[in-house]
C-alpha cells in the first residue's frame, strides 16, 4: 500500500491508477469508486479500503471504456519477477488518454485520432496536432480565435492541452474534447525547441521549414513533452514535424463544414448525407483518412488541382488497369497504423505478418502507378518502396499464423534460430519420454487406467483411481488426494519435468527476445513505410475519383485562375445517390465577376432552392480537390473561401438567439469574404420582424455586390429583393419553377431566369396538414398584406433612401406611412 500511495502521488491527479497485482489490475480508494461506477464493476472493501479489479488479459477493453468516458488511465505494471519475501517492483509504464490511445477498437479505420496543443500569443495562436496512431505531426499559427476554432472543427481532436494557469480555451461550442492543463514552461520557445531537437536528433529546425513559427513551435514542443514525458508514450515513429498555412488551401470554416455536411450528416436519419460518404470510393484506411483532409482542405493552386485531374483522366482511359490497381489495394492493410504500433512497441507478431502481406503488394502497385502517363502518378509511384529485405526477414523469422500472445512461445519459425530449435527438441523429447513413461508404468504396475498428467500448479504427476490404490508402487510419493483418485510423483518424473519446463520457459523467453529483435529491424524502415503509405493513399483516392466518375457520370471541370463560374446540368453529388432510382433534376449556374455576380433566388419552400445552393457550393469544392464533378461540363475559378449562411438554430449555451447566430454568421461573411470567394446565403433576416429582416437582407445583398464583389447566391422569400436586379448591374433574378393545379402546386425542381412574387407558403402549409379554417384565414391576411407593396408612383418602397432626421429643431414634414391593418377581414 505504501508503494501504491507513492506511485499514485507521482501521476497526474485526475488519472486513474490501475495497479498490477498478479493476474489483475486493482484500483483503490476514489479510483475504485469511479471505475466501478463507470464500468459497472463490483466495489468491495478490504481493511476498510474500497477496491475493485479487472483481469490484466482483458485490460485493453476496460481501459478503452474508461477513455471513452474522457478519463486518463495510468497502467502500473510489475517490472520484476515475484520472489518469496520480496516486494515486486512496479512502475507506471504508460498513461493512456483520449488523444493518445492506440486501441484500434476505439479508433475508426478511416478517422484520425488527434491530440492537440494551443498557445495563444501576441497577435497569433500557436497550434500543433499529433496522431500517435500514424505519426502525423503538424504545426501552424492562426491569426484569430475564429480561425483556430475552424481548425478545431476540421480536426476534431480528442484531447487539447494548454498552458497551466491560463484560461481554458473557448472551443466555440465544439464538444467531446478533453481539456488538459500542462506545465507552462514546456510552451516556452527555448524549452520547446530543445524538446523537438532532442526528439528528432537535430541541431536546427530549419530543415523542417518551421523555424519561423514561434508560437506554433511552442505548442508543438509542449505537445511532444506531454506525450513522451507525462504520458510516457513512445513517439519513435514521429519522424518529422510539418508546418502548414491556410493560404495553401481553400478555406472552409466550421459553419460551412456543418452547413454543407462535408464530413457528417446534419440530420439524424438512417442515410448518411455527408459529402465524404458520397465521394469515398477508397479501398485502404489510410486513403480514407487522407480523403477527409482533401475535402476539408481543398487545394488553391491551379497547377496542383490539374495534376490530380490528369491522374484521374488516365485511370478513366484504362478501366482494366484501374480495376487491377484497386483489386491489388485489397491486399494492403493500414500501413501507417501497423508501423506505428510496431514502432511504439505495441505491435505483435500478427502485425508483422500483416505488414509483410501489405509489402508484398507494393511492387505491383508501384508498377501500375508508374505506367500511368501522368507526372503526379509517376512521382507518387516512385515513393512506394517495396522493401524486399523486410519481407524476407519476416517470412523467415515469424510463423505464418502466430499467436496473439507474445510471451507464450510459438512465434519463431522452425529453422530461423538453432538455439530455439534445440530447446524445442528438448521439449519434444521430454514429452515423448513422458508418453513412454505412462506406457511403461502401466506395464509395471498392471494399472491400465494409470495416467501421466500435467497442470500449472503441480506440474507432471501420475494419477491412479481409488479402485487401484492397492497396486501403487512403493517408490511413488503421494502429492494430492481427490474424491475418486490420488496423484503421485516420482524422483525420475520430477527430474524430467525440470528439464521439460526449463526448456519450455527458456524457449518462450528466447522467442520473445528474437521477436523484439525482428521488430526493431523492421521498424528501422519506419520512414520508408510511412512514405509508401502516403503515396498509396493518394493514388487510392485518385483511383476512387475515377471510379466515382464512372459510376455516377462525373466529368472533368475546367479550372481557371479566376473569372466566371459556369456549371451546365449540375447535380447534387450526395442526393443524386439517394434518389432510389428517381432521376435527379439537373440545373445550370452562371456567376461572373461583373454582370452576374449576385443571384437572387426566389420560390416556395420545398421547391429545391436550398438543395440548389448547396449543390453549387459542393461542386465548386469537389473541383478544388481534383475530383470530377456531377455536371455535364463546368468552368470553376480558383476560390479562396466558401461561405455559407444556411438554416436556423440557436446557441443557448452561449446566450445567443437564433437571430443572433444568424447575424454573427453574416457578419463573418461580410468581414472576411473577398472577390475570390463564393457566398451562399439562404434566408437572411427571417429571425426578426419582417421589416427589420427585409432591411438587413437588402443591405447585405447590396454590400456583397458593391463592396465585396463576391460571387453570391442569395435565396430568399423576400420578393422585394428581386427589385435589386433593376438597381444593381451585377444582380440577376432566378426562381424555382412550380406549376399550379386546382389550388395545389407541383414542384419541378428546375431553376430558371426571372423572379417570382409568390412563395406558395399557404399551399405548402396545406401539404403539412394545417386545418382548413387556419388556411382560409391565412389567405385573407395575405391579401391585406399584398395591398401596400408599392408607393404612389408604382416603385418599391424598399428602394427609397430616407433623409436623415432633421436637426436643430427643424421638423421633418415627410408624412408618416400608413399603418397596415393586418387583421381586417375582407368583409369588414
Amino acid at each position: 500500500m505504501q508503494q501504491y500511495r507513492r506511485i499514485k502521488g507521482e501521476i497526474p491527479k485526475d488519472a486513474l491508477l490501475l495497479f498490477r497485482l498478479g493476474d489483475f489490475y486493482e484500483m483503490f480508494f476514489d479510483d475504485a469508486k469511479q471505475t466501478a461506477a463507470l464500468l459497472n464493476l463490483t466495489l468491495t472493501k478490504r481493511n476498510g479500503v474500497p477496491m475493485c479489479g479487472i483481469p490484466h488479459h482483458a485490460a485493453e477493453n476496460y481501459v478503452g471504456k474508461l477513455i471513452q468516458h474522457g478519463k486518463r488511465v495510468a497502467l502500473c505494471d510489475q517490472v520484476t519477477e515475484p520472489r518469496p519475501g520480496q516486494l515486486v517492483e512496479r512502475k507506471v509504464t504508460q498513461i493512456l488518454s483520449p488523444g493518445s490511445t492506440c486501441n484500434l477498437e476505439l479508433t475508426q479505420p478511416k478517422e484520425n485520432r488527434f491530440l492537440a496543443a494551443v498557445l495563444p500569443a501576441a497577435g497569433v495562436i500557436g497550434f500543433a496536432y499529433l496522431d500517435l496512431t500514424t505519426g502525423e505531426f503538424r504545426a501552424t499559427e492562426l491569426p484569430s480565435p475564429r480561425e483556430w476554432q475552424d481548425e478545431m472543427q476540421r480536426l476534431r481532436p480528442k484531447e487539447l492541452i494548454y498552458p497551466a494557469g491560463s484560461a481554458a480555451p473557448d472551443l466555440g461550442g465544439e464538444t467531446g474534447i478533453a481539456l488538459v492543463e500542462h506545465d507552462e514552461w514546456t510552451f516556452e520557445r527555448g524549452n520547446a525547441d530543445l524538446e523537438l531537437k532532442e526528439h528528432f536528433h537535430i541541431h536546427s529546425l530549419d530543415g523542417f521549414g518551421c523555424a519561423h513559427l514561434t508560437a506554433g513551435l511552442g505548442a508543438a514542443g509542449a505537445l511532444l513533452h506531454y506525450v513522451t514525458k507525462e504520458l510516457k508514450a513512445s513517439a519513435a515513429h514521429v519522424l518529422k514535424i510539418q508546418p502548414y498555412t491556410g493560404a495553401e488551401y481553400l478555406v472552409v470554416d466550421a459553419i460551412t463544414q456543418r452547413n454543407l455536411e462535408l464530413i457528417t450528416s446534419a440530420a439524424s436519419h438512417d442515410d448518411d448525407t455527408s459529402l465524404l460518404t458520397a465521394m469515398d470510393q477508397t479501398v485502404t484506411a489510410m486513403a480514407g483518412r487522407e480523403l477527409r483532409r482533401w475535402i476539408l482542405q481543398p487545394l488553391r493552386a491551379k497547377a496542383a488541382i490539374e495534376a490530380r485531374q490528369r491522374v484521374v483522366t488516365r485511370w478513366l482511359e484504362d478501366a482494366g488497369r484501374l480495376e487491377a490497381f484497386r483489386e491489388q489495394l485489397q491486399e494492403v492493410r493500414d500501413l501507417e497504423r501497423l508501423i506505428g504500433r510496431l514502432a511504439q512497441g505495441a505491435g505483435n507478431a500478427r502485425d508483422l505478418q500483416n505488414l509483410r502481406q501489405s509489402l508484398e503488394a507494393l511492387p505491383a502497385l508501384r508498377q501500375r502507378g508508374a505506367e500511368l502517363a501522368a507526372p503526379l502518378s509517376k512521382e507518387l509511384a516512385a515513393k512506394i518502396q517495396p522493401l524486399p529485405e523486410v519481407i524476407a526477414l519476416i517470412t523467415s523469422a515469424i510463423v505464418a499464423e502466430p499467436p496473439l500472445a507474445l510471451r507464450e512461445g510459438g512465434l519463431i519459425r522452425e529453422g530461423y534460430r538453432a538455439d530455439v530449435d534445440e530447446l524445442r527438441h528438448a521439449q519434444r523429447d521430454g514429452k515423448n519420454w513422458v508418453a513412454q513413461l505412462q506406457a511403461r508404468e502401466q506395464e509395471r504396475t498392471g494399472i491400465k487406467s494409470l495416467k501421466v498428467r500435467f497442470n500449472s500448479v503441480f506440474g507432471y504427476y501420475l494419477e491412479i483411481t481409488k479402485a487401484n490404490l492397492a497396486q501403487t508402487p512403493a517408490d511413488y510419493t503421494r502429492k494430492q488426494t481427490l474424491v475418486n483418485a490420488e496423484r503421485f510423483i516420482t524422483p525420475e518424473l520430477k527430474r524430467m519435468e525440470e528439464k521439460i519446463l526449463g526448456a519450455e520457459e527458456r524457449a518462450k523467453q528466447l522467442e520473445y527476445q528474437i521477436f523484439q529483435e525482428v521488430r526493431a529491424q523492421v521498424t528501422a524502415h519506419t520512414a520508408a513505410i510511412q512514405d509508401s503509405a502516403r503515396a498509396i493513399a493518394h493514388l487510392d483516392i485518385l483511383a476512387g475519383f475515377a471510379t466515382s466518375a464512372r459510376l455516377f457520370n462525373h466529368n472533368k471541370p475546367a479550372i481557371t485562375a479566376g473569372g466566371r463560374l459556369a456549371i451546365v446540368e449540375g447535380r447534387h453529388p450526395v442526393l443524386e445517390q439517394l434518389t432510389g432510382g428517381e432521376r435527379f433534376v439537373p440545373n445550370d449556374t452562371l456567376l461572373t465577376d461583373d454582370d452576374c455576380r449576385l443571384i437572387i433566388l426566389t420560390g416556395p419552400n420545398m421547391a429545391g432552392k436550398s438543395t440548389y445552393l448547396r449543390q453549387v457550393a459542393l461542386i465548386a469544392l469537389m473541383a478544388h480537390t481534383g475530383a470530377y464533378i456531377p455536371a455535364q461540363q463546368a468552368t470553376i475559378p480558383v476560390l479562396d473561401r466558401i461561405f455559407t449562411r444556411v438554416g436556423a438554430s440557436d446557441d443557448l449555451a452561449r446566450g445567443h438567439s437564433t437571430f443572433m447566430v444568424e447575424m454573427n454568421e453574416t457578419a463573418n461573411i461580410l468581414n472576411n469574404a473577398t472577390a475570390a470567394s463564393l457566398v451562399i446565403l439562404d434566408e437572411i433576416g427571417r429571425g426578426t420582424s419582417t421589416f427589420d429582416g427585409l432591411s438587413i437582407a437588402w443591405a447585405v445583398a447590396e454590400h456583397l455586390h458593391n463592396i465585396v464583389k463576391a460571387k453570391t447566391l442569395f435565396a430568399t422569400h423576400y420578393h422585394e429583393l428581386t427589385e435589386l436586379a433593376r438597381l444593381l448591374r451585377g444582380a440577376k433574378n432566378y426562381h424555382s419553377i412550380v406549376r399550379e393545379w386546382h389550388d395545389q402546386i407541383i414542384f419541378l425542381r428546375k431553376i430558371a431566369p426571372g423572379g417570382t412574387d409568390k412563395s406558395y407558403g399557404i399551399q405548402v402549409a396545406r401539404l403539412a396538414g394545417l386545418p382548413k379554417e387556419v388556411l382560409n384565414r391565412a389567405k385573407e391576411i395575405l391579401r391585406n398584406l399584398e395591398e401596400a407593396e408599392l408607393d404612389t408612383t408604382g416603385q418599391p418602397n424598399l428602394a427609397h433612401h430616407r433623409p436623415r432626421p432633421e436637426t436643430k429643431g427643424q421638423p421633418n414634414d415627410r408624412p408618416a406611412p400608413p399603418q397596415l391593418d393586418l387583421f381586417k377581414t375582407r368583409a369588414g
Side-chain angles (χ1 to χ4, degrees):
M1 188 53 67
Q2 289 176 355
Q3 185 186 51
Y4 171 86
R5 290 181 183 275
R6 175 181 59 78
I7 294 173
K8 178 66 177 173
E10 295 171 353
I11 65 173
K13 291 183 179 179
D14 66 320
L16 301 173
L17 179 59
L18 272 62
F19 195 73
R20 181 74 179 270
L21 288 174
D23 290 336
F24 282 80
Y25 281 113
E26 299 287 354
M27 288 133 281
F28 301 98
F29 303 106
D30 287 343
D31 285 2
K33 294 178 181 178
Q34 287 189 57
T35 304
L38 293 173
L39 300 182
N40 196 27
L41 301 177
T42 300
L43 185 68
T44 61
K45 282 190 176 183
R46 184 175 298 173
N47 298 327
V49 176
M51 61 182 294
C52 65
I54 57 176
H56 83 277
H57 63 271
E60 187 175 35
N61 180 45
Y62 288 104
V63 170
K65 291 179 180 178
L66 292 172
I67 288 172
Q68 285 180 313
H69 284 289
K71 299 296 183 181
R72 292 197 290 177
V73 179
L75 297 180
C76 180
D77 288 306
Q78 299 174 174
V79 295
T80 59
E81 292 296 323
R83 299 182 187 280
Q86 293 184 14
L87 180 65
V88 175
E89 186 180 341
R90 295 177 176 86
K91 71 174 183 179
V92 174
T93 54
Q94 192 174 354
I95 300 177
L96 300 171
S97 68
S100 70
T101 179
C102 291
N103 185 338
L104 298 183
E105 292 184 4
L106 298 182
T107 307
Q108 294 299 319
K110 292 188 174 184
E111 292 181 18
N112 286 100
R113 194 173 192 89
F114 289 123
L115 174 66
V118 62
L119 176 61
V124 297
I125 297 175
F127 182 65
Y129 64 88
L130 168 65
D131 185 343
L132 268 179
T133 68
T134 66
E136 179 184 351
F137 190 21
R138 295 175 182 254
T140 191
E141 289 178 351
L142 301 157
S144 69
R146 178 183 284 275
E147 292 191 50
W148 174 72
Q149 290 170 357
D150 291 342
E151 194 67 354
M152 289 290 289
Q153 171 72 14
R154 180 179 75 84
L155 296 167
R156 298 183 180 181
K158 300 297 182 184
E159 190 172 359
L160 176 70
I161 69 166
Y162 63 96
S166 63
D170 179 5
L171 300 178
E174 185 70 14
T175 59
I177 299 174
L179 292 175
V180 180
E181 288 188 352
H182 190 52
D183 295 334
E184 186 178 13
W185 63 267
T186 64
F187 288 84
E188 295 172 3
R189 176 61 191 268
N191 296 323
D193 275 13
L194 183 61
E195 186 74 35
L196 293 166
K197 290 173 185 176
E198 286 183 352
H199 175 77
F200 294 119
H201 307 292
I202 56 176
H203 294 291
S204 169
L205 293 168
D206 291 345
F208 291 125
C210 59
H212 63 289
L213 296 177
T214 300
L217 288 181
L223 181 56
L224 192 60
H225 181 276
Y226 173 74
V227 167
T228 58
K229 305 302 191 298
E230 178 154 329
L231 300 184
K232 305 180 188 301
S234 169
H237 62 308
V238 181
L239 303 180
K240 61 183 175 181
I241 180 170
Q242 296 175 279
Y244 70 101
T245 68
E248 303 170 47
Y249 307 105
L250 166 63
V251 177
V252 184
D253 63 23
I255 296 166
T256 299
Q257 292 173 38
R258 182 182 68 246
N259 289 340
L260 295 183
E261 301 181 76
L262 296 184
I263 301 301
T264 57
S265 302
S268 55
H269 43 60
D270 293 337
D271 292 326
D272 186 343
T273 56
S274 70
L275 179 65
L276 174 62
T277 298
M279 291 183 68
D280 189 3
Q281 296 288 337
T282 60
V283 177
T284 63
M286 55 240 186
R289 293 191 295 272
E290 186 66 13
L291 178 59
R292 280 175 170 258
R293 185 197 312 284
W294 286 23
I295 291 174
L296 294 175
Q297 286 186 321
L299 297 175
R300 279 188 63 188
K302 177 176 179 290
I305 296 170
E306 290 175 337
R308 289 180 179 177
Q309 287 182 334
R310 279 191 284 272
V311 178
V312 177
T313 301
R314 296 297 175 260
W315 282 129
L316 287 170
E317 290 172 351
D318 192 338
R321 180 178 284 126
L322 172 62
E323 289 306 314
F325 179 81
R326 285 171 57 81
E327 185 176 344
Q328 196 72 46
L329 284 174
Q330 301 282 352
E331 301 299 318
V332 179
R333 303 296 181 89
D334 194 338
L335 282 171
E336 284 183 317
R337 284 184 169 159
L338 279 174
I339 195 61
R341 281 170 57 84
L342 290 164
Q344 290 179 283
N348 56 36
R350 292 184 183 179
D351 290 327
L352 285 176
Q353 284 294 5
N354 287 333
L355 179 63
R356 176 198 57 77
Q357 177 186 334
S358 301
L359 293 177
E360 286 177 343
L362 265 52
L365 294 173
R366 179 187 171 109
Q367 180 181 348
R368 296 190 188 284
E371 288 172 351
L372 283 184
L376 178 58
S377 176
K378 294 182 183 297
E379 177 187 330
L380 292 170
K383 294 179 180 178
I384 299 175
Q385 303 178 52
L387 301 176
E389 65 277 22
V390 175
I391 296 173
L393 172 64
I394 298 172
T395 301
S396 62
I398 306 298
V399 297
E401 297 182 3
L404 192 60
L406 293 177
R407 298 177 182 270
E408 301 301 319
L411 303 173
I412 306 303
R413 190 182 291 271
E414 189 92 16
Y416 179 70
R417 281 275 292 263
D419 46 359
V420 174
D421 292 345
E422 288 174 6
L423 290 170
R424 286 176 173 166
H425 291 154
Q427 292 178 59
R428 282 196 290 268
D429 291 345
K431 290 177 180 178
N432 288 337
W433 180 89
V434 168
Q436 294 170 5
L437 173 67
Q438 178 173 298
R440 191 167 66 245
E441 289 302 301
Q442 286 177 347
E443 180 72 24
R444 179 165 79 98
T445 62
I447 305 173
K448 299 302 181 183
S449 61
L450 181 147
K451 301 293 182 184
V452 177
R453 302 185 186 278
F454 174 86
N455 67 36
S456 58
V457 177
F458 297 113
Y460 285 98
Y461 55 85
L462 299 108
E463 186 172 278
I464 300 176
T465 59
K466 291 213 168 175
N468 296 300
L469 285 178
Q471 298 171 262
T472 303
D475 58 342
Y476 280 23
T477 301
R478 182 179 286 106
K479 188 67 177 177
Q480 185 183 25
T481 300
L482 304 178
V483 175
N484 297 317
E486 293 199 11
R487 293 172 176 175
F488 300 87
I489 58 173
T490 67
E492 184 182 27
L493 180 58
K494 296 314 288 181
R495 284 194 299 270
M496 185 55 68
E497 176 189 296
E498 291 175 5
K499 181 178 179 181
I500 296 170
L501 297 184
E504 189 172 346
E505 186 59 34
R506 288 196 303 275
K508 289 178 181 178
Q509 293 174 359
L510 184 57
E511 285 198 60
Y512 180 62
Q513 177 187 328
I514 295 169
F515 164 77
Q516 289 179 305
E517 293 170 358
V518 172
R519 184 169 63 185
Q521 292 179 60
V522 169
T523 56
H525 298 273
T526 296
I529 294 171
Q530 289 176 337
D531 288 344
S532 296
R534 281 188 284 269
I536 291 169
H538 286 207
L539 286 170
D540 187 356
I541 293 172
L542 295 171
F545 285 173
T547 302
S548 288
R550 291 178 59 201
L551 290 174
F552 306 115
N553 190 29
H554 291 181
N555 290 291
K556 182 174 77 172
I559 305 297
T560 61
R564 66 204 300 264
L565 184 154
I567 301 170
V568 178
E569 298 284 297
R571 311 182 305 278
H572 195 293
V574 179
L575 297 186
E576 76 162 345
Q577 296 181 26
L578 302 175
T579 56
E582 180 184 349
R583 179 177 175 269
F584 188 92
V585 178
N587 278 294
D588 298 345
T589 305
L590 177 63
L591 287 165
T592 68
D593 289 336
D594 41 37
D595 62 343
C596 188
R597 62 173 174 262
L598 170 63
I599 288 179
I600 302 297
L601 180 61
T602 51
N605 289 306
M606 297 176 61
K609 299 193 307 298
S610 296
T611 296
Y612 175 73
L613 295 186
R614 289 180 171 91
Q615 168 183 312
V616 173
L618 291 172
I619 287 174
L621 187 146
M622 286 177 67
H624 283 72
T625 68
Y628 279 30
I629 60 173
Q632 190 178 99
Q633 64 183 60
T635 299
I636 307 293
V638 173
L639 304 170
D640 63 354
R641 300 186 67 147
I642 295 177
F643 290 96
T644 60
R645 191 6 274 159
V646 177
S649 61
D650 54 27
D651 188 351
L652 299 180
R654 306 178 76 188
H656 292 174
S657 67
T658 299
F659 182 65
M660 187 62 179
V661 170
E662 181 181 321
M663 290 299 99
N664 283 338
E665 294 178 1
T666 305
N668 175 49
I669 294 172
L670 298 180
N671 290 325
N672 294 291
T674 72
S677 301
L678 175 63
V679 177
I680 303 297
L681 298 173
D682 194 358
E683 303 298 342
I684 292 291
R686 64 182 176 182
T688 185
S689 69
T690 302
F691 285 178
D692 282 355
L694 177 53
S695 303
I696 292 170
W698 188 290
V700 167
E702 282 186 338
H703 186 85
L704 287 168
H705 177 277
N706 297 334
I707 307 301
V708 178
K709 300 182 179 179
K711 295 177 178 66
T712 304
L713 289 167
F714 196 143
T716 182
H717 286 288
Y718 294 136
H719 300 128
E720 295 83 353
L721 292 185
T722 59
E723 299 298 327
L724 286 168
R726 298 169 55 184
L727 304 171
L728 304 178
R729 177 175 175 272
K732 292 288 185 290
N733 287 323
Y734 281 80
H735 70 284
S736 51
I737 302 175
V738 299
R739 291 286 181 263
E740 294 185 69
W741 185 74
H742 294 305
D743 204 28
Q744 297 185 13
I745 52 174
I746 301 170
F747 303 115
L748 301 185
R749 317 289 187 192
K750 199 70 178 174
I751 306 299
T756 181
D757 60 356
K758 297 183 71 174
S759 286
Y760 299 97
I762 294 174
Q763 286 87 341
V764 174
R766 176 185 291 109
L767 295 177
L770 265 66
K772 185 175 181 180
E773 58 270 22
V774 173
L775 296 172
N776 291 336
R777 178 64 178 136
K779 290 179 183 178
E780 288 184 329
I781 296 172
L782 176 62
R783 284 193 289 269
N784 289 338
L785 286 169
E786 290 175 342
E787 289 177 352
E789 284 189 349
L790 305 179
D791 63 14
T792 56
T793 66
Q795 297 297 312
N797 283 310
L798 286 170
H800 291 161
H801 290 279
R802 294 179 180 271
R804 296 174 182 269
E806 299 293 342
T807 58
K808 298 182 180 180
Q810 298 178 4
N812 188 332
D813 57 1
R814 185 181 180 93
Q819 175 66 42
L820 295 179
D821 186 355
L822 301 184
F823 304 103
K824 183 175 71 173
T825 65
R826 301 301 291 181

